[in-house]
Amino acid sequence: MYATVNGVRLAFSARGRGRGPALLLIHGFPLDRRMWEAQLSGLSRLAHVVAPDLRGHGQSEAPSGPYSMDRHADDLAGLLDRLSIQQAIVTGLSMGGYVAFAFWRRHAERVLALTLLDTRAEPDTPQAQAGRDAAAARVQQIGAEAFAREMLPRLLAPASLTDPDIADRALAIMASQTPSGIVAALAGLRDRPDSRPILPTITAPTLVVVGAEDALTPPADAAAMAAAIPQARLATIPAAGHLSPLENPAAVNATLRELIRRIGQ
Ligand code: MLT
C-alpha cells in the first residue's frame, strides 16, 4: 500500500487492523520493510502492525537527501495520521532506533511504548562520520549489491551468515536499495544527534532488545542504554547478531508479544 506524506509517496504494509494496539516497525539501514516479514505475519493477531519503507528505501519514493532522523520521524507521524492511528508501540531496529528516538523527541504523546532493537543512543564519532563519507563514495563506485556483500558479515551472527534462509534474504533486501538512497541515508546517519540526553526523559514503557552476538551495537551497550531509561526492560536474543528480527524471529516475536500483552492490559 502507499500513502503520500509530506509530499513523498511512502510504501507500507499493514496487517491486523482492529486487533489491539498499533505496532509501528521501523527498519534499519540499508534495508526496508521486508526485514519485518516474520513480525508482520506473527504479531498481526495481537496488534495492528504497520511497517513502512522510509523515504529513499524499498518501494518508497526517493527525494534528494540527506534524510535526517527528524524528517523520517515526521514522515511516520504523518503516516499514522493517514491511518487514523493516534498512538503506537514505536519499534525501531538500529537506524530505525535512531528514528524512534527522534519520534520520542518530536511526537512523544503518540508513543504508547518504545522498542529499541540493536541500536544505540550515541552519535557518530568523527571517525565514524568519515566512515560514512567513505561508504557513500564506495557505494557509488561499486553499486548496491557489492556494497551489501561487503557489509553483511558485520550485520549477522556467524551461524546466520552460513544459513541461506537468513543471509540470502538479508542480502537480497540490501542489494535492492538504490545507491542514491543509500547515500542520502548515510548523510542522515552521519549527522544524527546525540540521543543520550533524552534517555532519562523516556517515560513510556520501553523494551531494549539486542542480539547476543551483535557486534555493531553489543549487549553491554544495550544494557547500559536500558539502565539509563526509567522503565526499560532488556531482552537478549540468542543466536542473533545485529539483525535479530530476521535471525531469530521466534525469540523476537515472543518478547514483542509479551510487551503487546502488557500494554494491552
Ligand atoms: C543499521 O543497521 O541501521 C545501521 O547499522 C545503523 C548504523 O550504521 O549506524
Side-chain angles (χ1 to χ4, degrees):
M1 283 178 276
Y2 291 90
T4 298
V5 175
N6 298 328
V8 178
R9 192 164 183 259
L10 297 181
F12 65 98
S13 299
R15 288 191 216 157
R17 190 177 185 89
R19 295 196 209 139
L23 176 67
L24 176 66
L25 300 175
I26 316 169
H27 62 77
F29 164 88
L31 296 154
D32 63 36
R33 71 192 195 275
R34 287 174 289 169
M35 66 155 282
W36 299 114
E37 199 47 55
Q39 287 68 46
L40 276 157
S41 58
L43 301 173
S44 58
R45 263 185 308 209
L46 279 182
H48 179 190
V49 189
V50 177
D53 286 342
L54 296 173
R55 61 171 60 204
H57 299 76
Q59 295 177 298
S60 286
E61 205 180 320
S64 54
Y67 304 146
S68 70
M69 302 305 123
D70 286 359
R71 166 61 71 196
H72 286 312
D74 291 353
D75 286 350
L76 296 179
L79 179 63
L80 294 185
D81 289 343
R82 295 293 305 276
L83 299 175
S84 302
I85 294 172
Q86 259 320 304
Q87 287 190 308
I89 301 173
V90 176
T91 296
L93 176 120
S94 199
M95 179 179 76
Y98 312 154
V99 176
F101 286 132
F103 197 94
W104 175 260
R105 273 195 298 272
R106 298 167 76 82
H107 308 284
E109 73 288 352
R110 306 192 69 165
V111 178
L112 206 48
L114 213 51
T115 313
L116 303 165
L117 297 103
D118 301 292
T119 194
R120 61 160 77 80
E122 291 80 8
D124 275 7
T125 60
Q127 193 189 1
Q129 289 183 319
R132 303 288 188 193
D133 293 337
R138 182 113 183 108
V139 71
Q140 284 170 308
Q141 189 193 352
I142 65 173
E145 177 165 0
F147 181 78
R149 283 189 193 280
E150 286 185 358
M151 230 187 128
L152 195 65
R154 293 197 296 279
L155 297 181
L156 298 179
S160 306
L161 256 185
T162 57
D163 179 337
D165 271 356
I166 298 169
D168 291 358
R169 201 141 38 94
L171 187 65
I173 300 172
M174 292 162 68
S176 69
Q177 306 306 313
T178 62
S180 58
I182 290 175
V183 168
L186 281 164
L189 289 167
R190 178 195 62 202
D191 298 337
R192 74 183 189 281
D194 186 354
S195 290
R196 285 172 296 185
I198 65 161
L199 298 180
T201 75
I202 299 178
T203 47
T206 300
L207 179 61
V208 175
V209 178
V210 65
E213 298 168 64
D214 186 339
L216 289 182
T217 48
D221 294 5
M225 184 169 73
I229 300 174
Q231 294 197 60
R233 294 187 188 184
L234 176 67
T236 304
I237 305 296
H242 190 60
L243 302 186
S244 56
L246 257 168
E247 297 181 67
N248 190 344
V252 168
N253 283 6
T255 193
L256 284 171
R257 251 181 228 119
E258 193 269 327
L259 175 70
I260 295 165
R261 291 209 175 96
R262 187 151 52 94
I263 295 307
Q265 277 162 11

